[in-house]
Amino acid sequence: MKAYKVKLATPEDCTGCSSCMNACAKKCISMDINKYGFLQPSIDSTSCIGCRKCEMSCPIINIGKYNDNSLVIPDVYSAILKNESDRYSSASGGAFYAIARYVIQRGGVVFGVKFDGVHVRHDYTESIEGLEAFRGSKYVQSEVGQSFNLVKNFLNQNRLVLFSGTPCQVAGLNHFLSKPYDNLITVQLICRGTASPGVWEKHIRQQMTKSDIKDISNIRFRTKSPKYSSPVYSYVLRYDYRRNDNTEGEYWQHCRQDPYFSYFMNHNFRSSCLVCKFRNTYSTGADFTIGDAIGASSIDSYGEKNISTIVAHNPKANDILKDIEKELIITSQPLADLQTVYEDAIRIQAWDKRWRMWKVSNLLAMHVPLENIGFIYKYFRPELFFYKTVRFLYRKILKK
């Protein structure tokens, strides 16, 4: 049997969106964990029939081919849910919950990201109660699985569908579908980079073993409770745990104390994030962009620090906002504030890109406890010296 050579994005450019896997009718593409802890497509060339559907669905090698909103000037808003209880359960001001509830109330289906134990993956729900698992930030790249095929099935049943994810995941879905659907609503996050699921799961399981923990639940990377204090608003990692002797407890550390959180905020990114092709307002074809508040807002007068930014990219998004407006306190924001966010994200990762630290730090994190790497980072931050230090440790620890 002839073995076809498929051309997909290079390993360094691949975003792990899983569009190629979803497009493969012969199921000869799987998403496997690479040495940095990220999902990467793996192709069984002996089963491939050369249909090239995977190539046509790849958002990297077909950048800008579908759903380009580059000629549309988006509308930018700041917003919070009026309902304090619902707002309290959200990472920011509750923008996602408001849009998702709109879809469910119209008999639709919502795709979001949830914890499956400690694993982070995409799933869907058809109930408002099911939205609870999707609320809150997950600072780990999710496993998309077969979600794109499920989205297409629901769309073909004329169901209203909401898909939320990172910009590269939304781009992957739009390239997979290859045509617009009136009954599809896409929501992308303001993203500073995706973190390695392999590093996260390795770290949390090490913590469980170290503390004799049997299982954990209710993981949150953002926590608004006044019982916790954090130097950066609500950035607190907390979870409930049960030890092997059945005693229960709660873990919490703010972002500058927790080893994973501090590592994620410095170096734990996928290589494609450092040259992200979707870090702008239009290249994914998303209807909405949402995230933490940007710039100054009149909503600040309500004393609410956690405010959502909502970017409406097209008339469809603006029509939905009009329908949910009564649930929100909402004000307009200048477009320049949004552009500043993308510029800041690029600056944050410029050092990593220059020194290619993602290669060393992510590989090291898959083998060394994050507490040890955090110690080095804290006390030996100067750029070139830190780079040489980690390279030295990499050779000593991993190349014995």
Side-chain angles (χ1 to χ4, degrees), residues 250 309 325:
E250 179 190 33
T309 285
E325 193 173 30

Side-chain angles (χ1 to χ4, degrees), residues 21-29 44 47-51 53:
M21 181 187 72
N22 279 262
C24 182
K26 290 297 182 179
K27 306 299 181 188
C28 55
I29 299 179
D44 178 5
S47 301
C48 178
I49 60 173
C51 68
K53 288 183 179 179

Side-chain angles (χ1 to χ4, degrees), residues 84-349:
E84 289 188 22
S85 175
D86 287 338
R87 189 167 75 238
Y88 182 83
S89 299
S90 302
S92 295
F96 167 76
Y97 187 69
I99 300 169
R101 188 162 57 186
Y102 166 90
V103 172
I104 295 294
Q105 288 171 343
R106 285 155 180 77
V109 184
V110 173
F111 284 76
V113 176
K114 64 186 286 187
F115 280 105
D116 182 3
V118 300
H119 187 64
V120 179
R121 64 180 178 87
H122 263 80
D123 201 356
Y124 72 89
T125 183
E126 301 174 75
S127 69
I128 289 177
E129 294 76 20
L131 295 177
E132 198 61 36
F134 299 156
R135 298 174 81 168
S137 300
K138 285 87 174 175
Y139 295 133
V140 188
Q141 186 171 35
S142 63
E143 179 184 0
V144 171
Q146 291 292 330
S147 292
F148 293 175
N149 278 311
L150 292 172
V151 167
K152 188 173 184 178
N153 289 339
F154 283 123
L155 291 173
N156 290 335
Q157 295 169 25
N158 293 318
R159 299 282 298 277
L160 183 63
V161 177
L162 167 64
F163 179 88
S164 63
T166 59
C168 56
Q169 290 171 338
V170 171
L173 173 63
N174 280 329
H175 281 74
F176 166 78
L177 294 173
S178 77
K179 67 176 184 178
Y181 284 81
D182 291 337
N183 52 329
L184 173 65
I185 303 166
T186 49
V187 176
Q188 66 182 9
L189 307 175
I190 295 176
C191 179
R192 72 187 296 269
T194 56
S196 166
V199 171
W200 157 253
E201 293 184 26
K202 185 218 70 167
H203 168 70
I204 204 70
R205 294 192 189 284
Q206 283 181 340
Q207 296 297 99
M208 291 173 68
T209 301
K210 181 179 176 181
S211 302
D212 198 33
I213 293 174
K214 178 165 55 176
D215 57 69
I216 65 174
S217 59
N218 301 322
I219 304 170
R220 303 281 292 191
F221 282 102
R222 300 282 292 276
T223 308
K224 292 181 179 178
S225 172
K227 101 185 244 191
Y228 311 106
S229 62
S230 173
V232 191
Y233 297 143
S234 60
Y235 289 81
V236 173
L237 174 62
R238 57 91 51 215
Y239 53 80
D240 300 323
Y241 62 81
R242 183 190 299 273
R243 290 196 173 94
N244 286 316
D245 60 3
N246 285 326
T247 57
E248 298 180 350
E250 179 190 33
Y251 172 91
W252 77 271
Q253 288 289 357
H254 68 62
C255 59
R256 292 179 185 169
Q257 292 177 327
D258 179 76
Y260 176 81
F261 222 139
S262 59
Y263 192 67
F264 159 72
M265 297 181 80
N266 289 307
H267 279 308
N268 191 14
F269 299 113
R270 193 174 186 121
S271 60
S272 56
C273 297
L274 307 182
V275 289
C276 180
K277 293 176 171 58
F278 310 108
R279 191 182 285 126
N280 52 52
T281 60
Y282 59 82
S283 61
T284 67
D287 298 307
F288 289 100
T289 297
I290 62 172
D292 289 339
I294 53 178
S297 170
S298 60
I299 297 176
D300 294 343
S301 62
Y302 287 83
E304 176 62 64
K305 292 180 179 177
N306 302 101
I307 303 168
S308 290
T309 285
I310 306 177
V311 184
H313 293 285
N314 51 42
K316 180 200 291 186
N318 273 311
D319 288 344
I320 293 170
L321 277 183
K322 288 176 184 176
D323 284 337
I324 64 175
E325 193 173 30
K326 60 183 179 298
E327 301 179 23
L328 302 167
I329 301 168
I330 186 167
T331 62
S332 295
Q333 291 288 104
L335 178 60
D337 286 346
L338 181 64
Q339 294 167 339
T340 300
V341 169
Y342 291 115
E343 290 168 3
D344 287 344
I346 292 170
R347 281 196 294 270
I348 287 170
Q349 295 173 2

